[in-house]
């Protein structure tokens, strides 16, 4: 049975831990408001650009002069998987859910005889995936969004690396795996194909697209920007999801620390009362012996 001193030290330690988790919860809540607002504002722009380029890809399907970034290389042998995680822990299953999804995707593609490469964005994903897939791991990107939130220039830096790999013939299909923010307690693991551009089904009720100037000029400008935009959206969604997951995890940790503190306090009071009762019995017994 622990002594009273041990119980006091443990109570002090739990109180300190509760203060830390409570402070981290408030910090995450503050960052979440901005990250959620930015992610929600970026969604319509990314969706409309993807829809417009998808319609353009549908009109160019089968043409020999269409850009490969739009319609693909015509092969499905080499795959690049971009795993978007965070640089820090203490956010529940946020990072592990992405690592698990990427691991399942890579293993299923390898079972089909495909060639794989992994481009991790985030220190946690890089460290966990390196244990099993160090041979196919490319250079990683870290500290994204560290200075005041995710910036478009950071997404563009990742997009330039992906574009360079594609131009070098390193892959045929590029897929990004990230957490899409739904609510504070819910983040959805999302898998999105970036190259080739998915062709959405035609919506007859929607307005048709008219392209001016020529389609080639538009594609030369918009295809690299679309890649950066879709990656920017994924990074924003991941950032909001991380703050929501961290807020939830720290809230649960604060509650658990409070419960543990109550149990330790009760145990300490009972032990202290038993110690006092024992001392009183010894004093009374000594007095009666005299």
């Amino acid at each position: 049975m622990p002594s009273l001193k041990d119980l006091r030290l443990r109570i002090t330690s739990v109180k300190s831990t509760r203060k830390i988790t409570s402070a981290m919860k408030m910090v995450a809540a503050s960052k979440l408001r901005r990250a959620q607002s930015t992610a929600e504002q970026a969604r319509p722009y990314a969706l409309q650009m993807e829809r417009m380029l998808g319609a353009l890809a549908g009109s160019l399907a089968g043409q020999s002069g269409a850009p490969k970034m739009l319609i693909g290389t015509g092969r499905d042998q080499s795959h690049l998987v971009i795993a978007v995680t965070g640089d820090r822990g203490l956010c529940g299953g946020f990072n592990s859910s992405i690592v698990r999804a990427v691991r399942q995707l890579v293993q299923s593609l390898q079972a089909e005889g495909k060639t794989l490469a992994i481009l991790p964005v985030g220190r946690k994903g890089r460290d966990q995936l390196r244990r099993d897939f160090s041979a196919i791991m490319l250079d990683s990107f870290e500290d994204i969004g560290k200075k005041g939130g995710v910036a478009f220039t950071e997404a563009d830096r990742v997009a330039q690396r992906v574009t360079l790999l594609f131009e070098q013939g390193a892959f045929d299909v590029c897929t990004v795996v990230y957490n899409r923010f739904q609510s504070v307690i819910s983040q959805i693991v999302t898998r999105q194909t970036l190259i080739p551009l998915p062709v959405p089904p035609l919506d007859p009720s929607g307005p048709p697209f008219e392209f001016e100037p020529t389609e080639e000029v538009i594609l030369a400008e918009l295809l690299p920007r679309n890649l950066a935009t879709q990656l920017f959206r994924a990074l924003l969604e991941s950032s909001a999801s991380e703050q929501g997951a961290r807020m939830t995890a720290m809230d649960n940790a604060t509650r658990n620390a409070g419960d543990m503190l109550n149990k330790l306090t009760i145990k300490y009071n009972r032990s202290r009362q038993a110690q006092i009762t024992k001392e009183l019995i010894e004093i009374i017994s000594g007095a009666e012996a005299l």
Side-chain angles (χ1 to χ4, degrees):
M1 183 177 180
S3 63
L4 293 177
K5 181 179 179 181
D6 294 336
L7 289 174
R8 282 196 300 268
L9 291 174
R10 193 171 181 187
I11 289 174
T12 302
S13 176
V14 173
K15 285 182 177 179
S16 300
T17 302
R18 186 173 64 172
K19 289 180 181 179
I20 295 173
T21 56
S22 179
M24 292 184 65
K25 173 190 171 183
M26 291 187 290
V27 171
S30 176
K31 292 182 178 180
L32 173 63
R33 297 187 189 97
R34 180 179 179 182
Q36 180 181 355
S37 175
T38 307
E40 290 175 348
Q41 292 173 4
R43 286 175 185 172
Y45 180 77
L47 289 174
Q48 288 300 321
M49 177 174 282
E50 185 180 23
R51 176 175 174 267
M52 183 191 68
L53 289 177
L56 186 56
S59 66
L60 294 178
Q63 298 186 17
S64 59
K68 291 184 178 180
M69 184 176 288
L70 182 68
I71 63 173
T73 61
R75 300 184 301 272
D76 187 26
Q77 179 59 32
S78 302
H79 289 253
L80 174 66
V81 180
I82 304 175
V84 181
T85 60
D87 292 323
R88 301 169 56 199
L90 298 178
C91 49
F94 168 78
N95 294 310
S96 59
S97 62
I98 295 297
V99 172
R100 183 166 54 252
V102 171
R103 184 179 289 112
Q104 292 173 354
L105 175 62
V106 171
Q107 290 175 348
S108 64
L109 290 174
Q110 286 179 338
E112 298 174 3
K114 309 295 184 181
T115 303
L116 269 298
I118 301 176
L119 181 64
V121 179
R123 188 178 299 110
K124 288 297 181 179
R126 179 203 64 188
D127 294 342
Q128 295 185 43
L129 290 170
R130 181 182 290 172
R131 303 170 187 171
D132 300 323
F133 307 111
S134 59
I136 60 174
M137 187 83 68
L138 302 179
D139 52 336
S140 62
F141 293 87
E142 303 173 10
D143 297 331
I144 290 182
K146 186 177 182 180
K147 299 179 180 179
V150 180
F152 185 79
T153 54
E154 296 174 316
D156 189 54
R157 185 159 51 93
V158 181
Q160 290 177 9
R161 174 63 171 148
V162 174
T163 303
L164 179 61
L165 290 171
F166 185 67
E167 292 175 349
Q168 294 174 348
F171 64 89
D172 302 318
V173 180
C174 176
T175 305
V176 60
V177 182
Y178 64 96
N179 273 306
R180 179 169 60 84
F181 179 82
Q182 186 175 33
S183 66
V184 177
I185 60 174
S186 177
Q187 298 84 37
I188 302 175
V189 177
T190 304
R191 191 171 70 188
Q192 179 182 356
T193 302
L194 300 179
I195 301 174
L197 195 69
V199 180
L202 295 178
D203 185 7
S205 62
F209 289 105
E210 295 183 0
F211 300 100
E212 184 180 351
T214 63
E215 296 173 347
E216 290 77 10
V217 175
I218 296 176
L219 290 175
E221 177 68 24
L222 287 188
L223 282 176
R225 180 174 292 273
N226 175 69
L227 179 60
T229 299
Q230 300 304 326
L231 286 171
F232 184 48
R233 174 195 176 191
L235 293 174
L236 289 175
E237 295 281 356
S238 179
S239 176
S241 299
E242 180 181 2
Q243 299 304 330
R246 180 168 290 112
M247 178 181 171
T248 302
M250 292 300 99
D251 180 62
N252 292 334
T254 302
R255 293 174 183 270
N256 293 336
D259 294 340
M260 182 177 294
L261 186 61
N262 292 334
K263 294 179 181 179
L264 288 174
T265 302
I266 292 174
K267 189 174 182 179
Y268 173 79
N269 290 335
R270 288 177 177 175
S271 299
R272 182 169 176 271
Q273 187 63 44
Q275 185 70 23
I276 294 174
T277 303
K278 180 181 177 181
E279 292 177 356
L280 288 175
I281 291 174
E282 291 176 351
I283 293 173
I284 295 172
S285 300
E288 289 179 352
L290 295 175

